[in-house]
Amino acid sequence: MAETSRMLQARALLQQCLHARLQIRPAEGDAAAQWVEVTSARQLSLSSGMRVNTLLNVKLSETENGKHVSILDLPGNILIIPQATLGGRLKGRNMQYHSNSGKEEGLELYSQFVTLCEKEVAANSKCAEAGVVVEHGTYGNRQVLKLDTNGPFTHLIEF
Amino acid sequence: MAETSRMLQARALLQQCLHARLQIRPAEGDAAAQWVEVTSARQLSLSSGMRVNTLLNVKLSETENGKHVSILDLPGNILIIPQATLGGRLKGRNMQYHSNSGKEEGLELYSQFVTLCEKEVAANSKCAEAGVVVEHGTYGNRQVLKLDTNGPFTHLIEF
């Protein structure tokens, strides 16, 4: 594979899926668990600060006739999942997360990312017309994910 | 994040899951689709040659009391999914796969990986006793994945 020689700032994992469901609050006492749910979605798993524009415009979403277009052009729903584990580095038999953002900075970067994503989708006429949904997980909490794909087709984009 | 400065040889994506189901042959005429299925699994998505030993021994599998141990120590079932898309690099708005292994080499590396994985699991007394299953997808074919996790908890390991 290609040589990499730079300071890694962020990682995103992109996964097109038919249906995804993310638990954002577990069941507690009488209160049922809360889930966010999207259909025909691009799932975005994030670590650290991201370039929203690049991720929304990369041509990784498959149309019915097999052509690849961006999620904005499809258009498709989006589920954003914060994943600190993506920033892990292998040290011996353990993963270490020393190079991840701190919690406060991470929360701020994540909130900015979600807001920017919502703005770009709202400003796109195709997405607005199709009623595209942007759902997202909560930062710093354990979340349960259920995923249906029509091919794993996972891509990693680093900044 | 940390600086990376070396030739990237391989990427693996590790995902602990409660249940995973991978379609290895789609329905055709009267023949129903074929699936492989594992429960309480570590899902491994692969690109290029891998170090089996490292991946089977990294402590990323959560026990019932929240401790992290290796998949061999858990012990847990394994589903191996070949994913050429993990080797993609962003170029403009497209992903390019120029640095992936060629098809023949890729198939050989993948077959070796699966065989080594099966051998290591068979040689491990905990796994043998628990009847650990190693399932795997077929190289070079589109596969449909359904996944239930108890937290996305996705890790990337590069060699």
Side-chain angles (χ1 to χ4, degrees), chain B residues 48-68:
Chain B
S48 295
M50 285 292 143
R51 295 191 200 166
V52 175
N53 194 275
T54 303
L55 296 175
L56 294 182
N57 285 291
V58 60
K59 296 180 183 174
L60 285 180
S61 297
E62 199 175 18
T63 63
E64 280 174 16
N65 54 28
K67 206 183 143 195
H68 288 99

Side-chain angles (χ1 to χ4, degrees), chain A residues 5-55:
Chain A
S5 173
R6 59 195 170 66
M7 196 65 81
L8 185 61
Q9 292 188 303
R11 254 183 199 150
L13 206 67
L14 288 92
Q15 169 74 58
Q16 192 177 359
C17 46
L18 300 172
H19 183 245
R21 203 162 178 249
L22 184 74
Q23 183 186 281
I24 52 168
R25 194 183 302 169
E28 209 182 306
D30 287 341
Q34 277 189 16
W35 298 79
V36 289
E37 199 159 354
V38 288
T39 312
S40 293
R42 162 86 60 82
Q43 170 207 345
L44 284 170
S45 284
L46 302 177
S47 164
S48 293
M50 286 290 143
R51 296 193 198 165
V52 175
N53 194 275
T54 302
L55 296 174

Side-chain angles (χ1 to χ4, degrees), chain A residues 53-95:
Chain A
N53 194 275
T54 302
L55 296 174
L56 295 182
N57 284 291
V58 59
K59 295 179 184 175
L60 285 180
S61 297
E62 199 176 17
T63 62
E64 279 173 18
N65 54 28
K67 207 184 141 195
H68 287 99
V69 299
S70 74
I71 189 81
L72 294 177
D73 279 338
L74 191 60
N77 298 318
I78 296 168
L79 173 61
I80 307 166
I81 307 171
Q83 280 218 70
T85 52
L86 278 180
R89 281 172 70 90
L90 186 67
K91 172 96 179 180
R93 292 181 60 197
N94 298 293
M95 294 300 282

Side-chain angles (χ1 to χ4, degrees), chain B residues 131-158:
Chain B
V132 161
V133 173
V134 179
E135 294 284 5
H136 60 91
T138 56
Y139 185 84
N141 297 315
R142 180 160 193 156
Q143 286 153 100
V144 174
L145 174 69
K146 291 171 190 286
L147 194 66
D148 269 15
T149 75
N150 57 355
F153 203 65
T154 310
H155 285 89
L156 181 78
I157 294 183
E158 294 182 330

Side-chain angles (χ1 to χ4, degrees), chain B residues 12-149:
Chain B
L13 205 67
L14 289 91
Q15 170 74 58
Q16 190 177 2
C17 46
L18 300 172
H19 183 246
R21 203 163 178 246
L22 184 73
Q23 183 186 284
I24 52 168
R25 195 184 300 170
E28 209 182 306
D30 287 341
Q34 276 188 16
W35 297 79
V36 288
E37 197 160 356
V38 289
T39 311
S40 293
R42 162 86 60 83
Q43 170 208 344
L44 284 171
S45 284
L46 301 177
S47 163
S48 295
M50 285 292 143
R51 295 191 200 166
V52 175
N53 194 275
T54 303
L55 296 175
L56 294 182
N57 285 291
V58 60
K59 296 180 183 174
L60 285 180
S61 297
E62 199 175 18
T63 63
E64 280 174 16
N65 54 28
K67 206 183 143 195
H68 288 99
V69 299
S70 74
I71 189 83
L72 294 177
D73 279 338
L74 191 59
N77 298 317
I78 297 169
L79 173 60
I80 307 167
I81 307 171
Q83 280 218 68
T85 51
L86 278 181
R89 280 172 70 90
L90 186 66
K91 173 94 176 178
R93 291 181 60 195
N94 297 292
M95 293 301 282
Q96 292 185 339
Y97 308 93
H98 301 323
S99 41
N100 275 12
S101 301
K103 280 191 183 176
E104 279 185 33
E105 190 197 1
L107 174 58
E108 197 176 314
L109 288 168
Y110 178 64
S111 307
Q112 282 172 8
F113 180 86
V114 170
T115 306
L116 275 173
C117 212
E118 288 169 339
K119 274 189 190 162
E120 288 232 16
V121 166
N124 183 290
S125 55
K126 254 194 184 175
C127 291
E129 205 171 299
V132 161
V133 173
V134 179
E135 294 284 5
H136 60 91
T138 56
Y139 185 84
N141 297 315
R142 180 160 193 156
Q143 286 153 100
V144 174
L145 174 69
K146 291 171 190 286
L147 194 66
D148 269 15
T149 75

Side-chain angles (χ1 to χ4, degrees), chain A residues 78-154:
Chain A
I78 296 168
L79 173 61
I80 307 166
I81 307 171
Q83 280 218 70
T85 52
L86 278 180
R89 281 172 70 90
L90 186 67
K91 172 96 179 180
R93 292 181 60 197
N94 298 293
M95 294 300 282
Q96 292 186 338
Y97 308 93
H98 300 322
S99 41
N100 275 11
S101 302
K103 280 192 183 173
E104 279 184 33
E105 191 197 2
L107 174 58
E108 196 175 314
L109 288 168
Y110 177 65
S111 307
Q112 282 172 8
F113 181 85
V114 171
T115 306
L116 275 172
C117 212
E118 289 169 339
K119 274 189 189 163
E120 287 230 19
V121 166
N124 183 289
S125 55
K126 254 194 185 172
C127 292
E129 207 171 297
V132 161
V133 172
V134 179
E135 294 284 6
H136 60 90
T138 55
Y139 185 86
N141 297 316
R142 180 160 193 157
Q143 288 153 99
V144 174
L145 175 68
K146 291 173 190 287
L147 195 65
D148 270 17
T149 75
N150 56 354
F153 202 65
T154 309

